[in-house]
Amino acid sequence: MGDEVVLLDTFVSVFGMRVRIALAEKGIQYEYKEEDLMNKSHLLLQMNPIHKKIPVLIHNGKPICESLIIVEYIDEVWKDKSPPLMPSDPYERAHARFWADYIGKKIYDGGMKIWSSKVEEHKTANIEFIECLKVLEGELGDKPYFEGENFGLVDMAFIPYYSWFPVYKKLSNLNIEAECPKFVAWAQRCMQKESVSKSLVDPDKVYEFIVLFRQKIGVA
């Protein structure tokens, strides 16, 4: 009897995309269940009663919550499957966790300021966002991926935002290609991986979702 793996997610979630990439990297078969965040399922509320958020990975009936924790769990449980998602060295693992956490806080919050704010607030939001991207470009340096030659945790944490960047450009005229060419080159390198290209969402679908959401919160 094999593993029963279910992913509770919503298609535009950058956090869910992280998990989808990790599962694809390891070649794990799973059942995908799309959640309506305006009308959360009983299963989601049962599996994540504390935060009531996606993604949730359900492995043989047991829930694992929070995207970075899920990615590490996948790497540990299916450690016999290549490639490894985390560095083997303890210091390098801690270093990767630091930057993945930075992305989750700085990039997510910065992006949210752009897509949820009014037009007059976009200029400040754009400047702050680019500053965060520049920090990450500095960490990337001249490496192919954040962990060097190997695609890993930090790349998985960051690359889902690539689906959202065209949305930021439409909403606030943020030209990331011009401001951060090193980042764009890295993203295009990541997109050559099938696990990434098939896990990321079409930016047009993200934009449609955000337009409807902005209308609901009164920022049309």
Side-chain angles (χ1 to χ4, degrees), residues 151-178:
F151 178 86
L153 178 70
V154 182
D155 305 289
M156 268 178 278
F158 198 9
I159 192 59
Y161 291 92
Y162 195 54
S163 289
W164 282 69
F165 287 175
V167 177
Y168 304 155
K169 187 172 184 178
K170 285 183 180 180
L171 292 175
S172 68
N173 200 31
L174 178 60
N175 192 340
I176 292 171
E177 291 84 355

Side-chain angles (χ1 to χ4, degrees), residues 19 31 35 76 103 135 139 142 174 181 192 202:
V19 177
E31 180 184 357
E35 284 287 334
E76 291 174 6
I103 290 163
V135 170
E139 169 60 20
D142 296 323
L174 178 60
Q192 293 174 7
D202 184 338

Side-chain angles (χ1 to χ4, degrees), residues 9-73:
D9 197 2
T10 189
F11 74 102
V12 298
S13 170
V14 292
F15 303 108
M17 282 184 247
R18 293 172 172 178
V19 177
R20 283 174 253 163
I21 292 169
L23 290 166
E25 280 284 289
K26 289 286 190 178
I28 308 300
Q29 298 296 315
Y30 64 97
E31 180 184 357
Y32 178 88
K33 291 191 176 183
E34 178 75 14
E35 284 287 334
D36 178 357
L37 298 185
M38 297 297 179
N39 184 25
K40 297 174 183 178
S41 72
H42 174 72
L43 182 60
L44 175 59
L45 299 178
Q46 179 187 17
M47 292 291 110
N48 191 1
I50 305 300
H51 295 302
K52 304 176 177 63
K53 293 179 179 180
I54 52 88
V56 178
L57 187 77
I58 307 172
H59 182 207
N60 294 333
K62 296 179 180 179
I64 304 93
C65 306
E66 301 296 320
S67 63
L68 296 178
I69 294 173
I70 295 172
V71 171
E72 290 202 43
Y73 178 86

